[in-house]
Amino acid sequence: MHRALAAPTPTLQPAPHAHSVYAVPRFTFYGQDDDIAFVETTDDFNCLTETYDAYNGAQFHIVSTAGQLRICIGDDDDTGCWNIALGPVNGANPVPAWPITLGAANGELSATLTVEAPADARLIEVTA
């Protein structure tokens, strides 16, 4: 005589979150005509805009376990426009393959540079 096996008891699965638990930060850099550099940090939950005195330029590092990136922003004396540059932090850390977008001007004097960094990335002000 064989006994019928009971059907397995269904288990409850948590509902998926509407937002990722690990938000991907986006850092957007641009300048203003009054010698101020702006950095907007945006993720799925927050948006923060910080200003930096950039009379002599400003330099930042975006640091993550997946890489490091250097961003420099400065006012060009010849044109009066803002220039934004990026590169490696040092020779031992090549520029990471993160999505980077050069956007339209936030005014007449500056473009915007946006970096989508890994979830653990943080922005470090080197000089401003």
Side-chain angles (χ1 to χ4, degrees):
M1 190 172 199
H2 296 282
R3 212 174 196 186
L5 296 175
T9 305
T11 58
L12 295 176
Q13 299 294 324
H17 293 286
H19 296 285
S20 169
V21 174
Y22 301 103
V24 174
R26 288 176 303 283
F27 301 100
T28 301
F29 301 84
Y30 57 95
Q32 287 287 358
D33 60 326
D34 53 359
D35 299 329
I36 301 293
F38 287 87
V39 179
E40 293 178 2
T41 303
T42 309
D43 62 25
D44 290 342
F45 307 105
N46 300 301
C47 180
L48 173 67
T49 302
E50 296 184 78
T51 60
Y52 297 89
D53 177 8
Y55 183 76
N56 293 315
Q59 298 177 31
F60 305 91
H61 290 176
I62 300 174
V63 178
S64 164
T65 56
Q68 300 178 18
L69 183 64
R70 181 181 189 96
I71 306 290
C72 301
I73 182 169
D75 189 6
D76 182 357
D77 290 337
D78 293 335
T79 65
C81 295
W82 288 89
N83 293 310
I84 304 171
L86 58 94
V89 171
N90 57 45
N93 294 300
V95 172
W98 300 337
I100 297 173
T101 305
L102 181 62
N106 189 359
E108 295 178 5
L109 302 174
S110 180
T112 60
L113 180 79
T114 301
V115 178
E116 291 187 35
D120 70 335
R122 66 188 196 282
L123 181 72
I124 298 171
E125 177 186 355
V126 178
T127 59

